[in-house]
Amino acid sequence: MSDATELFTIDAASSEPPYRQLHDAAVRAVADGRLSPGAKLPTVRGLAAHLGIAANTVASAYRALEADGVIEGRGRSGTFVSLGEDPLDAAARGIALEAAERLRSLGVTGARAERLLTEAVRGADAG
């Protein structure tokens, strides 16, 4: 296992599902520089064994991270922090798209959704 294994933990008492905890840990590690572009991530099986969780849970986190553009699979070579677009911008864009989709599913569209998201960002910045 790589040194990156130690960046991941699971809090069994958390209300966040384990795959989301892994996803968010990776995004934070990229944001604060503990994982840099091109860094190799642990294998799905290796990280699952280290954490004592199902391999499918780690695979779900990796799929979400890949969909967000934070990581990229390179076949048998492994999984790496994305070298392409800034991984933080990609992750942030994924979060924004998810929020927009959730608002749309509630029937909130256009200017109202934009206003709600802007208020949320401003509120987070103030807090």
Side-chain angles (χ1 to χ4, degrees):
M1 276 179 266
S2 71
D3 296 333
T5 302
E6 300 306 319
L7 299 174
F8 299 97
T9 60
I10 296 296
D11 178 1
S14 174
S15 63
E16 289 291 323
Y19 87 91
R20 176 54 62 184
Q21 291 180 49
L22 294 174
H23 175 281
D24 294 350
V27 170
R28 281 191 306 274
V30 169
D32 66 22
R34 290 177 292 151
L35 279 176
S36 56
K40 187 171 184 175
L41 295 179
T43 65
V44 168
R45 287 183 186 164
L47 185 55
H50 172 74
L51 296 171
I53 60 175
N56 283 341
T57 301
V58 176
S60 292
Y62 278 21
R63 279 192 300 276
L65 287 161
E66 194 161 6
D68 289 345
V70 176
I71 65 171
E72 54 190 43
R74 298 184 193 158
R76 293 183 157 257
S77 296
T79 304
F80 298 81
V81 175
S82 179
L83 288 172
E85 177 182 6
D86 180 339
L88 287 199
D89 283 350
R93 188 172 297 105
I95 291 166
L97 290 170
E98 181 181 327
E101 185 59 39
R102 290 181 67 190
L103 287 168
R104 192 174 302 115
S105 74
L106 293 172
V108 178
T109 59
R112 184 175 177 206
E114 206 173 310
R115 187 181 78 250
L116 291 168
L117 290 169
T118 299
E119 288 171 5
V121 169
R122 288 182 181 152
D125 286 346

